[in-house]
Amino acid sequence: MARIDRTADNVTIIDVAREAGVSYATVSRVINNKAHVKPAKREAVLSAMSRLGYVVNQQARSLAGGHSGVIGLLVQNLGTSWVGTIMRGVDEELDTLGYDMMLYTTHRAKSHEAAHVAAITRGVADGLLLILPRDTGSYLDSLRRRQFPYVVIDPQEIDETTPAVGVTNREGAQSATRYLIDLGHRRIGFITGNLELVSARDRLAAYRATLAEYGIPLRPELIAEGDFLQKRGFHAAQELLDLPERPTAIFASNDDTAFGVIEAARDRGLRIPEDLSVVGFDDIPEAANVHPPLTTVRQPLDQMGRAGARMLLHAIEHPEIEMRSTILPTELIIRSSCQPLPT
Amino acid sequence: MARIDRTADNVTIIDVAREAGVSYATVSRVINNKAHVKPAKREAVLSAMSRLGYVVNQQARSLAGGHSGVIGLLVQNLGTSWVGTIMRGVDEELDTLGYDMMLYTTHRAKSHEAAHVAAITRGVADGLLLILPRDTGSYLDSLRRRQFPYVVIDPQEIDETTPAVGVTNREGAQSATRYLIDLGHRRIGFITGNLELVSARDRLAAYRATLAEYGIPLRPELIAEGDFLQKRGFHAAQELLDLPERPTAIFASNDDTAFGVIEAARDRGLRIPEDLSVVGFDDIPEAANVHPPLTTVRQPLDQMGRAGARMLLHAIEHPEIEMRSTILPTELIIRSSCQPLPT
DNA sequence: CTGAAAGCGCTAACAG
DNA sequence: CTGTTAGCGCTTTCAG
């Protein structure tokens, strides 16, 4: 009844070799599914492994030159639905392929990015997934040169040389703006995202272009600056609603901002959609739960995560193949926060 | 103009030693802030390090017996606000102490838990944080025996020997029930959580006990079974609202369930809180955003994460000190989803 | 097919 | 104070 808990302690490849009566190189071969091992020995090793409860030590494996089986994920912040949903996609895809995830958060401190990237690429991970990185200039070149596999999700520069997955921001913003116009709205307010980001600039540009396309004069006072956060959306909406000629509809650059708009409207006793139509962007899970359910431009967040993970794993396993970036489609999801302008 | 990009490649401790003109043991000492290094040499090493762009290889460090500087985090699923918020707390705390995070998801497959735990404890991490684990029986003993530092957040068994951080589920549910009773409600519906979890059972028990305490007879038909998810909450609420004697208030075992209640009420044209009062539990970020803003029992989610991380890091750095579990208080957050029962 | 042996980059005694 | 050296557990030649 002694040593029952053999599984608990550090059984190494050497213990397994001894137990199976082979050299430990052979054990390594079995573990890594290499050819050239006689079936009988393979069996012996396998059974010894399970008998002893052997688990590989990834560190050692990766140090010795094997792959680590983990990918690094770099994000700014946790806890928003937006990244949460993307991460879920990444995780699901990783899970099916047996990779683990090492998570790094930058907390918007640009300086952290480069440091984390350096740490990640120095061993810990086989590849790197970057979600909306901010300061890629300082390290992407280096990754590329060293042929370290990486993929950017929601990139800032979409040059063809960067392996990335993005979405059709312009088309999405266009369809939302058109929808509002088709509903009869002409005074359509717009709240921007954080204009440092191309996604924000693209959405704004599409809003402008679409108005122009319909011959609707652009009224600068109808554009308020936001930052993709609810609070700022709230204040921006207040500005818009204070205008002498109040907009009849507001297109917010993302859902969180739209929630701020809803809040501001409610504050003033305006009903949505009767008194004000609202459209968001992203379609985070909450969008369907607010009241009224928010009409919004869906980004396929989980698909973005999945696609990014898939591309990365592919790159890891086929380093020779050149990667191209992927652009996923957006889609207008019509719920109940808009209505035709009464004539 | 040649070798500009020295930072890019694998500069090791040996390169640094050569550059600084010392032995590589000395470099190791400097890196690890050990005493007994002459200031001048320390300087030389430091400058060589930055000149070469040296970054430690965690794998090697940890293999060689040092600490890895990473903790493992085991969760069931990503992408819910509940874990998202806890993770954010964990991350923030880890960040201030310079630890990294390795993320493992079990996807509710109990079998994954043990496997992941085994992998984590075989090198990768210095400690393990488990959020709402399901099948701890198979490995917690082993961790304990091997003195591998771990902390459970929202544990199932709260015996004193498990280092854990939990919340006052009973008190929280009690205060919610009391609040409803004080508002004059007597027919108070209750939707349970997943009753496999103690948190769900505790909340139910407190609901019952509080009714009893006020001498309100327990009506079994007022208790519907849920699973902590919105969909099931929706259906459970339908059952409750179909009762011949409809409840005037519903206490849902968590916010997601409460959202389902709100949905069901709206479906039937019932106004909240005029026709039905609703209370949730958790206070996830969305709770403040639904309409009407949800009155709910707050769990300090980010604090739970922070506390767990802090305890774990403490345990890692002071293995000799015995850990005790922490119970964080819940708090009733009164918003607008309840009103007094008109008499 | 299989064993022996050389490291991967670093920490931690152990001697100076 | 500082250098030398022995591994950590594993992958990978290189010889059989």
Side-chain angles (χ1 to χ4, degrees):
Chain A
M1 290 308 284
R3 53 205 203 71
I4 274 203
D5 190 38
R6 306 203 231 51
T7 71
D9 250 20
N10 303 311
V11 334
T12 75
I13 208 179
I14 296 189
D15 301 318
V16 176
R18 193 179 311 131
E19 174 89 9
V22 300
S23 81
Y24 74 82
T26 299
V27 176
S28 173
R29 288 191 184 97
V30 173
I31 292 172
N32 294 290
N33 267 312
K34 304 251 169 164
H36 309 307
V37 178
K38 205 189 298 183
K41 290 217 173 190
R42 185 181 294 276
E43 266 316 309
V45 171
L46 255 18
S47 109
M49 275 172 46
S50 78
R51 225 174 312 137
L52 299 180
Y54 172 78
V55 178
V56 294
N57 179 323
Q58 288 292 1
Q59 325 247 16
R61 168 182 297 198
S62 136
L63 224 208
H67 79 144
S68 68
V70 354
I71 70 113
L73 181 65
L74 190 74
V75 305
Q76 294 193 14
N77 279 295
L78 261 25
T80 74
S81 287
W82 190 83
V83 298
T85 310
I86 294 180
M87 279 178 61
R88 182 152 46 78
V90 171
D91 174 59
E92 280 164 358
E93 200 65 36
L94 251 34
D95 193 58
T96 69
L97 287 103
Y99 274 77
D100 291 325
M101 181 197 301
M102 184 101 188
L103 185 61
Y104 288 87
T105 52
T106 61
H107 300 283
R108 297 187 173 272
K110 289 188 178 175
S111 57
H112 283 189
E113 271 192 41
H116 279 157
V117 169
I120 294 168
T121 60
R122 287 278 296 148
V124 231
D126 296 335
L128 176 58
L129 211 45
L130 305 125
I131 299 183
L132 191 58
R134 298 297 297 281
D135 189 33
T136 53
S138 62
Y139 52 80
L140 239 45
D141 277 350
S142 150
L143 291 182
R144 195 153 19 209
R145 204 168 329 115
R146 294 158 58 195
Q147 311 238 52
F148 191 88
Y150 72 93
V151 170
V152 182
I153 294 180
D154 205 358
Q156 289 305 299
E157 317 84 24
I158 326 201
D159 50 58
E160 275 303 305
T161 68
T162 302
V165 9
V167 299
T168 55
N169 282 301
R170 293 187 117 96
E171 289 78 351
Q174 181 185 51
S175 68
T177 310
R178 272 193 185 145
Y179 173 69
L180 254 14
I181 294 173
D182 289 345
L183 247 28
H185 295 279
R186 289 300 175 268
R187 284 202 307 287
I188 301 174
F190 183 87
I191 303 179
T192 73
N194 173 351
L195 290 173
E196 288 178 29
L197 306 181
V198 287
S199 56
R201 295 197 296 269
D202 280 355
R203 292 170 201 177
L204 172 58
Y207 158 82
R208 287 187 154 129
T210 309
L211 289 187
E213 177 191 328
Y214 280 76
I216 301 174
L218 186 74
R219 310 260 292 286
E221 70 273 22
L222 284 180
I223 299 178
E225 191 168 341
D227 62 0
F228 281 140
L229 301 178
Q230 176 164 347
K231 187 169 184 179
R232 188 73 179 278
F234 175 76
H235 293 303
Q238 284 184 318
E239 279 175 40
L240 256 25
L241 296 176
D242 279 343
L243 251 28
E245 274 196 303
R246 178 154 55 72
T248 62
I250 293 182
F251 176 18
S253 285
N254 76 341
D255 289 347
D256 277 325
T257 300
F259 298 158
V261 175
I262 292 177
E263 203 187 341
R266 190 166 287 142
D267 249 30
R268 281 169 161 56
L270 297 176
R271 293 160 306 163
I272 295 174
E274 292 82 354
D275 303 318
L276 181 71
S277 286
V278 179
V279 179
F281 203 113
D282 280 356
D283 195 29
I284 56 177
E286 293 91 309
N289 268 327
V290 292
H291 188 67
L294 186 68
T295 291
T296 188
V297 179
R298 169 177 296 166
Q299 290 193 63
L301 298 173
D302 57 334
Q303 292 305 322
M304 290 162 68
R306 298 190 91 110
R310 247 187 334 254
M311 284 173 64
L312 181 59
L313 299 186
H314 186 82
I316 290 171
E317 275 148 33
H318 306 283
E320 69 287 358
I321 299 177
E322 192 78 20
M323 256 191 305
R324 301 213 34 224
S325 53
T326 305
I327 309 290
L328 264 22
T330 48
E331 177 192 6
L332 183 68
I333 304 293
I334 296 178
R335 290 199 267 251
S336 326
S337 61
C338 299
Q339 75 172 33
L341 189 69
T343 38
Chain B
M1 291 308 286
R3 54 206 202 70
I4 273 203
D5 190 39
R6 308 203 230 50
T7 72
D9 252 18
N10 303 312
V11 334
T12 76
I13 207 179
I14 297 188
D15 300 319
V16 176
R18 192 179 312 132
E19 174 90 8
V22 300
S23 81
Y24 78 110
T26 298
V27 176
S28 172
R29 287 190 186 98
V30 172
I31 292 171
N32 295 290
N33 266 311
K34 304 251 170 167
H36 309 308
V37 178
K38 202 188 300 183
K41 290 217 172 188
R42 185 182 294 275
E43 266 317 308
V45 171
L46 255 19
S47 108
M49 275 172 48
S50 78
R51 226 174 310 137
L52 300 180
Y54 172 78
V55 177
V56 294
N57 179 323
Q58 287 291 1
Q59 325 248 13
R61 167 180 293 190
S62 131
L63 225 206
H67 78 143
S68 67
V70 355
I71 71 113
L73 181 65
L74 191 74
V75 303
Q76 293 194 14
N77 278 297
L78 260 25
T80 75
S81 287
W82 190 82
V83 298
T85 310
I86 294 180
M87 280 178 61
R88 182 152 47 77
V90 171
D91 174 59
E92 280 164 358
E93 200 65 34
L94 250 35
D95 193 58
T96 69
L97 286 103
Y99 273 77
D100 291 324
M101 181 196 300
M102 184 101 189
L103 186 61
Y104 288 87
T105 52
T106 60
H107 300 285
R108 296 188 173 271
K110 289 188 179 177
S111 58
H112 283 190
E113 271 190 41
H116 279 157
V117 170
I120 294 169
T121 61
R122 290 276 296 148
V124 230
D126 297 335
L128 175 57
L129 211 44
L130 305 124
I131 299 184
L132 192 58
R134 299 298 296 280
D135 189 32
T136 53
S138 61
Y139 53 80
L140 240 44
D141 277 349
S142 150
L143 290 182
R144 196 153 19 210
R145 207 170 324 115
R146 295 158 59 194
Q147 311 237 51
F148 191 88
Y150 71 92
V151 170
V152 182
I153 294 181
D154 206 356
Q156 289 306 297
E157 318 85 22
I158 326 202
D159 51 58
E160 275 303 306
T161 69
T162 302
V165 9
V167 298
T168 55
N169 282 301
R170 294 186 116 96
E171 289 78 351
Q174 181 185 51
S175 68
T177 311
R178 271 194 186 147
Y179 173 68
L180 255 14
I181 295 173
D182 289 344
L183 247 28
H185 294 279
R186 289 301 175 267
R187 285 203 306 287
I188 301 174
F190 184 86
I191 303 178
T192 74
N194 174 351
L195 290 172
E196 288 178 30
L197 306 181
V198 287
S199 55
R201 296 198 295 271
D202 280 355
R203 291 170 202 178
L204 173 57
Y207 158 82
R208 286 188 155 128
T210 308
L211 289 188
E213 177 191 329
Y214 280 75
I216 301 174
L218 186 75
R219 311 261 292 285
E221 70 273 22
L222 284 180
I223 299 178
E225 191 168 340
D227 61 359
F228 281 140
L229 300 178
Q230 176 165 347
K231 187 168 184 179
R232 188 73 180 279
F234 175 76
H235 293 301
Q238 285 184 318
E239 280 176 40
L240 256 24
L241 296 176
D242 279 343
L243 251 27
E245 274 195 303
R246 178 153 58 72
T248 62
I250 293 182
F251 177 18
S253 284
N254 76 342
D255 289 346
D256 277 325
T257 301
F259 298 155
V261 175
I262 292 177
E263 204 187 339
R266 191 166 285 142
D267 250 30
R268 282 169 162 56
L270 297 176
R271 292 160 307 162
I272 295 173
E274 292 82 354
D275 304 317
L276 181 72
S277 286
V278 179
V279 179
F281 203 113
D282 279 357
D283 195 29
I284 56 178
E286 293 90 310
N289 268 328
V290 291
H291 188 67
L294 186 68
T295 290
T296 189
V297 179
R298 168 177 297 166
Q299 290 193 64
L301 298 172
D302 57 334
Q303 293 304 323
M304 292 162 67
R306 298 190 92 111
R310 246 184 338 249
M311 284 173 65
L312 182 60
L313 299 186
H314 186 81
I316 290 172
E317 276 148 33
H318 305 283
E320 69 288 358
I321 300 178
E322 192 78 19
M323 254 191 306
R324 303 212 35 224
S325 53
T326 304
I327 309 290
L328 263 23
T330 48
E331 177 192 5
L332 182 67
I333 303 293
I334 296 178
R335 289 199 267 252
S336 326
S337 61
C338 300
Q339 74 171 34
L341 189 70
T343 38

